[in-house]
């Protein structure tokens, strides 16, 4: 509308100026025409005067002269006012123009008569001359009057045009100022109502694109126009972006933290450890890695359920977080495994102080419903050491701490390094040991407690290393289990033992230990039965000993029981070894019917001096009697122990008193012969 108003005002002003200029132009054209006609008249007057004077004096006048003057007068007379019909004549000048035209006609007519008389009768010139001169004076007077009126009219038009132009210019200036004020007002309105909200909205969008924090309020969100719709859309988009970022942060937290304890998880632990190992060579510091495992966590879960176990894990996380510095990292790697990354210039002193703080904090929880006890392994970084290797060393130190009594800490030191090197060498040399003839079997007799008659033989695996000598089973069997070679070695041992049993009397049973790792093979039971058929050993002569660790494999518990039931279904006996040392002995007896129970040697060795051990042995004997399950007491080394076991009605015994492990099975029933037999090296005492 403003533009249309400006356009209309400009058109009106332009038309007014154009009209003024057109009037002046027409008046000026009329004045110019009068001037030209006056000049023509003057030339005619001079030509007529010259011709008449020559004619009156009797002097000859050229015919061409007569002809040209006559033609000019005729043309002037015919033109008579020479005024074009299209030429504009104002109303107030029409009378003057008409008078001038009459005077011109009279002048032209008298001039033609005078010219005719001068050519025909020169003596008539004096008589015609007064009328000619009077017409000339009349014409000049009329022309002078018309010219004066034209000049006055042009001056008036100029004054009026100038005044109108000034007025129009003032109006245009006022209009321009008004337009400028309106434009400035519109700009201010646009800036406040449109531009400023758009700039603010654009800034919010830029902040969103850069990932910066955005104010909750988006300008213009309460407006009811299109900008309000845009602002509300940006606000909704901002909310969606914030929600997505919260989800991304939550996902990022889940990816790098443990949800139960809020601690960093294994991924973040490994990243931090790798970063510190890259950094410390430039700073001269050393990285200490702590591998931490909760003691008796299985027992906590059994007693308090998963909720109690979760609370114990959270308590352990709080305890460790309170003991470390702000620069240290505490992580939960999974299950009841925790780890700490500590970087310090004074090592191992800083690590020892942290270990002491953790153990003291654990001691302070002794009175809690669920006390926190930990085994800790520590390893210090060396030159160009990778994070995985460093953690594995700490983990081995932690297992050493568990093996040495739990609730303690062990550092991976030089002696430990030698032991690790030995383990690595033994693990390497164990490959193909059976094929090289280094592995062999030793048999230890099992006797009737009353008669001391041998009723069975237990096959024990031995390793005679060509350079290191005899290796204890508790050294190489775990290596075979961790490397996966136990499956091949176990079947080789069963094959050798059944081959030997095939040469024994039919009443002698063969007892063999099965590793928990072997139960990963679903066909284990059928493979053992196939070996028995090949060596023609009746399954009823076979006894397979399993520890509670084999039956407590959580998700694999059912497959283990399936293998045991397969063997039992074909007549083999299943024996629970080391009974009384596990967490769920009675639960295992409830879930599976064992054919025999073996009392752990630790109870038998101390039952005479330690009353609780004696009570446990007697309770197991009573339990076996009530279940109708035979009991075997292993580790019998003294006659007094045998006598006490007979008092408690233990039916079967095994130990050095009965017979030491030997390459050849001893079936002699004479006790004196058994006791006189040559002993085998003490390192063979430990069972596989």
């Amino acid at each position: 509308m403003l533009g249309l108003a400006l356009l209309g005002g400009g058109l009106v002003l332009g038309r007014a100026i154009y009209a003024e200029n057109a009037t002046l132009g027409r008046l000026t054209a009329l004045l110019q025409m009068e001037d030209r006609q006056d000049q023509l008249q003057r030339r005619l007057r001079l030509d007529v005067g010259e011709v008449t004077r020559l004619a009156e004096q009797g002097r000859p006048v050229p015919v061409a002269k007569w002809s040209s003057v006559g033609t000019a007068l005729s043309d002037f007379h015919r033109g008579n006012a020479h005024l074009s019909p299209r030429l504009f004549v104002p109303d107030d000048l029409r009378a003057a123009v008409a008078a001038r035209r009459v005077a011109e006609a009279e002048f032209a007519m008298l001039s033609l008569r005078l010219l005719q008389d001068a050519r025909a009768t020169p003596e008539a010139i004096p008589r015609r001359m007064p009328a000619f001169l009077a017409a000339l004076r009349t014409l000049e007077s009329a022309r002078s009057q018309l010219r004066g009126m034209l000049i006055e009219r042009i001056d008036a038009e100029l004054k009026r045009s100038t005044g109108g132009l000034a007025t129009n210019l003032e109006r245009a200036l006022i209009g321009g100022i008004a337009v400028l004020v309106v434009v400035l007002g519109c700009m201010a309105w646009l800036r406040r109502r449109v531009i400023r909200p758009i700039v603010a909205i654009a800034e919010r969008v830029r902040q969103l694109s850069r990932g910066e924090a955005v104010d909750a309020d988006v300008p213009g969100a309460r407006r009811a126009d299109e900008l309000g719709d845009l602002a509300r859309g940006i606000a909704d988009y901002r909310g969606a972006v914030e929600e997505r970022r919260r989800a991304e942060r939550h996902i990022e937290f889940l990816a790098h933290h443990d949800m139960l304890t809020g601690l960093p998880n294994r991924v973040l632990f490994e990243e931090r450890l790798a970063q510190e190992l890259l950094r410390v060579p430039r700073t001269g510091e050393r990285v200490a890695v702590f591998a931490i495992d909760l003691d008796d966590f299985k027992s906590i879960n059994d007693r308090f359920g998963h909720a109690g176990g979760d609370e114990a894990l959270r308590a352990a996380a709080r305890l460790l977080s309170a003991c470390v510095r702000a620069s240290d990292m505490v992580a939960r790697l999974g299950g009841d495994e925790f780890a700490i990354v500590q970087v310090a210039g004074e090592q191992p002193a800083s690590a020892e102080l942290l270990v002491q703080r953790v153990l003291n904090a654990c001691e302070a929880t002794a009175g809690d419903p669920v006390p926190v006890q930990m085994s800790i392994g520590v390893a210090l970084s060396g030159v160009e050491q990778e994070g995985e290797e460093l953690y594995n060393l700490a983990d081995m130190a932690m297992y050493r701490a568990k093996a040495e009594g739990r609730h303690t800490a062990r550092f991976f030191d030089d002696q430990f390094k030698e032991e690790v090197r030995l383990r690595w060498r033994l693990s390497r040399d164990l490959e193909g040991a059976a094929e090289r003839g280094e592995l062999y079997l030793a048999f230890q007799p099992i006797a009737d407690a009353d008669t001391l008659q041998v009723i069975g033989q237990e096959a024990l695996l031995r390793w005679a290393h060509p350079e290191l000598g005899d290796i204890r089973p508790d050294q190489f069997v775990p290596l075979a289990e961790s490397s996966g070679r136990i499956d091949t070695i176990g079947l080789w041992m069963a094959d050798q033992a059944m081959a030997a049993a095939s040469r024994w009397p039919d009443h002698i049973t063969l007892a063999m230990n099965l590793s928990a790792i072997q139960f990963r093979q679903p066909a284990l039971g059928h493979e053992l039965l196939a070996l028995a058929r090949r060596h023609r050993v009746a399954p009823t002569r076979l006894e397979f000993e399993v520890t509670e660790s084999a039956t407590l494999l959580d998700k694999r518990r059912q497959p283990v029981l399936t293998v045991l039931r397969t063997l039992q279904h074909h007549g083999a006996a299943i024996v629970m070894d080391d009974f009384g040392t596990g967490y769920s002995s009675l639960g295992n007896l409830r879930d599976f019917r064992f054919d025999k129970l073996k009392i752990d040697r630790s109870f038998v060795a101390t039952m005479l001096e330690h009353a609780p051990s004696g009570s446990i042995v007697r309770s197991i004997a009573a339990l076996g009697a009530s279940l109708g399950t035979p009991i075997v007491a292993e580790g019998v080394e003294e006659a007094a122990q045998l006598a006490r076991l007979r008092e408690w009605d233990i039916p079967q015994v095994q130990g050095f008193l009965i017979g030491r492990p030997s390459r050849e099975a001893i079936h002699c029933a004479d006790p004196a012969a058994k006791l006189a037999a040559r002993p085998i090296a003490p390192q063979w005492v430990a069972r596989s």
Side-chain angles (χ1 to χ4, degrees), residues 458-617:
E458 180 178 4
L460 305 174
L461 185 62
R462 298 292 182 260
W463 183 12
H465 194 281
E467 297 178 5
L468 302 176
D470 294 324
I471 308 299
R472 299 194 312 272
D474 59 355
Q475 281 185 290
F476 72 83
V477 170
L479 296 178
E481 291 177 334
S482 62
S483 64
R485 300 189 184 100
I486 193 63
D487 296 326
T488 303
I489 294 176
L491 290 178
W492 175 87
M493 175 182 174
D495 182 67
Q496 297 294 313
M498 291 184 190
S502 65
R503 300 188 294 270
W504 300 343
D506 292 340
H507 68 280
I508 301 297
T509 61
L510 171 64
M512 291 179 292
N513 290 278
L514 294 180
S515 168
I517 307 301
Q518 289 180 265
F519 287 97
R520 294 178 305 182
Q521 304 296 327
L524 175 63
H526 297 288
E527 291 175 345
L528 294 173
L529 293 171
L531 289 175
R533 287 193 298 270
R534 190 176 74 179
H535 292 289
R536 297 182 180 180
V537 176
T540 54
R541 295 177 56 197
L542 300 178
E543 294 181 355
F544 295 100
E545 298 183 2
V546 295
T547 60
E548 290 188 68
S549 62
T551 58
L552 296 174
L553 296 180
D554 296 329
K555 294 181 180 179
R556 293 194 57 84
R557 179 179 176 86
Q558 190 57 42
V560 170
L561 296 180
T562 300
V563 172
L564 297 181
R565 289 191 179 102
T566 298
L567 295 171
Q568 203 173 45
H569 176 72
H570 287 81
I574 305 301
V575 181
M576 179 182 284
D577 198 7
D578 301 335
F579 183 75
T581 60
Y583 298 127
S584 303
S585 299
L586 298 180
N588 281 307
L589 294 181
R590 177 195 60 196
D591 297 338
F592 185 81
R593 183 183 60 81
F594 287 90
D595 298 293
K596 188 182 294 187
L597 303 178
K598 294 188 74 172
I599 303 175
D600 186 71
R601 66 179 66 250
S602 61
F603 298 120
V604 175
T606 59
M607 67 179 185
L608 298 179
E609 299 83 11
H610 189 248
S613 296
S615 299
I616 291 173
V617 173

Side-chain angles (χ1 to χ4, degrees), residues 34-190:
E34 288 296 329
D35 288 341
R36 286 194 302 270
Q37 193 67 14
D38 182 65
Q39 291 175 5
L40 178 60
Q41 172 200 323
R42 290 179 184 278
R43 285 195 302 269
L44 286 174
R45 186 191 66 184
L46 292 176
D47 289 342
V48 170
E50 181 183 1
V51 172
T52 57
R53 186 174 60 254
L54 290 175
E56 186 179 7
Q57 292 176 359
R59 297 172 63 182
V61 178
V63 177
K65 184 67 174 179
W66 288 108
S67 177
S68 64
V69 173
T71 301
L73 283 173
S74 297
D75 292 340
F76 184 78
H77 180 63
R78 284 193 302 270
N80 190 25
H82 58 269
L83 191 62
S84 173
R86 295 190 299 266
L87 190 63
F88 170 76
V89 179
D91 293 339
D92 56 343
L93 296 179
R94 289 186 182 276
V97 171
R100 191 263 303 160
R101 292 178 67 181
V102 171
E104 279 185 347
E106 185 67 22
F107 170 76
M109 183 182 67
L110 291 176
S111 295
L112 286 173
R113 289 178 182 176
L114 179 62
L115 186 63
Q116 291 174 356
D117 290 343
R119 189 174 185 181
T121 56
E123 56 275 10
I125 292 174
R127 189 179 63 248
R128 298 285 188 188
M129 186 60 69
F132 170 77
L133 293 175
L136 177 61
R137 284 192 296 271
T138 301
L139 176 59
E140 288 181 350
S141 176
R143 192 181 302 282
S144 177
Q145 182 181 3
L146 177 59
R147 185 182 294 110
M149 293 177 67
L150 281 172
I151 291 173
E152 290 178 358
R153 181 63 185 274
I154 289 173
D155 289 340
E157 287 294 332
L158 282 174
K159 291 179 181 178
R160 189 172 65 85
S161 177
T162 302
L165 180 60
T167 302
N168 289 330
L169 287 176
E170 289 177 359
R171 292 174 181 174
L173 180 60
I174 293 172
I177 293 173
V179 169
L180 181 60
V181 170
V182 173
V183 169
L184 290 176
C186 291
M187 290 179 63
W189 181 86
L190 285 173

Side-chain angles (χ1 to χ4, degrees), residues 308-326:
D310 291 345
E311 181 56 35
L313 292 173
R314 284 190 287 265
R318 291 192 296 268
L319 184 149
L320 293 174
S321 299
C323 292
V324 299
R325 303 171 302 177

